[in-house]
Amino acid sequence: MPIGKIAKSGSQFLSAAEYDLAQGKYAKQEAEKKPEILDKNFLSVEHYIELGKEFRELANDNKNCKKPVLKFSVSFDPKEDLTDSQKIEFTKLVMKEMGIQEDNHQYLITRHSDKGHDHHHVLANRVGMNGKTLT
């Protein structure tokens, strides 16, 4: 059974994307992590600096939300015989349960393979396209 780990909400999209993509100060970990973008929503770029800007631009639409960053991971047991599409489907199911809507939220799903098992990192904007904040 997949296992999730939720980080506290934060305010730094740039540093979260930098870690998830193993870019910037994490670039030396790229070969180990093997980051791969699996899906992104309402985002047009793939470099952590530009991603941080795109996330921040929307977050600024709601000045009341001081911590717009939602970050969590989903780990998959290598003994389970899940296809890549099943893993993505499960990750999106978790996102939906958390209130992240494909028609309203920016998100980035990346895969890392550095812990002996695949795990997905989800970086989402708590501020939706409608300006409202996920609680």
Side-chain angles (χ1 to χ4, degrees):
M1 165 152 254
I3 298 173
K5 180 180 178 185
I6 300 175
K8 291 183 179 180
S9 59
S11 60
Q12 298 298 318
F13 289 108
L14 189 141
S15 59
E18 182 179 25
Y19 175 81
D20 288 354
L21 296 171
Q23 295 176 345
K25 70 181 180 183
Y26 297 103
K28 63 183 178 269
Q29 298 174 10
E30 182 179 16
E32 179 185 349
K33 291 181 186 292
K34 300 179 198 131
E36 178 184 354
I37 295 175
L38 301 177
D39 196 15
K40 59 185 179 173
N41 198 44
F42 296 116
L43 298 165
S44 62
V45 296
E46 296 187 359
H47 189 270
Y48 79 100
I49 292 174
E50 284 80 24
L51 281 165
K53 288 176 185 176
E54 282 194 6
F55 275 116
R56 175 58 53 202
E57 185 176 315
L58 179 59
N60 285 342
D61 286 348
N62 185 327
K63 300 293 184 196
N64 293 323
C65 182
K66 302 300 181 205
K67 294 187 176 187
V69 178
L70 175 60
K71 183 162 174 39
F72 64 93
S73 63
V74 179
S75 297
F76 300 94
D77 187 332
K79 295 176 188 167
E80 292 184 346
D81 192 23
L82 299 174
T83 65
D84 287 344
S85 61
Q86 287 173 318
K87 291 175 185 177
I88 292 169
E89 185 178 329
F90 183 82
T91 298
K92 287 187 173 186
L93 179 62
V94 172
M95 292 167 58
K96 184 177 179 180
E97 290 292 321
M98 295 178 73
I100 301 167
Q101 302 169 355
E102 286 194 50
D103 65 345
N104 191 40
H105 292 97
Q106 290 175 317
Y107 62 77
L108 176 71
I109 303 172
T110 56
R111 173 186 9 230
H112 286 180
S113 302
D114 60 328
K115 305 239 180 201
H117 62 274
D118 277 351
H119 55 284
H120 295 175
H121 288 268
V122 177
L123 173 58
N125 200 333
R126 290 183 57 229
V127 176
M129 302 303 281
N130 61 4
K132 295 182 181 176
T133 304
L134 267 176
T135 55

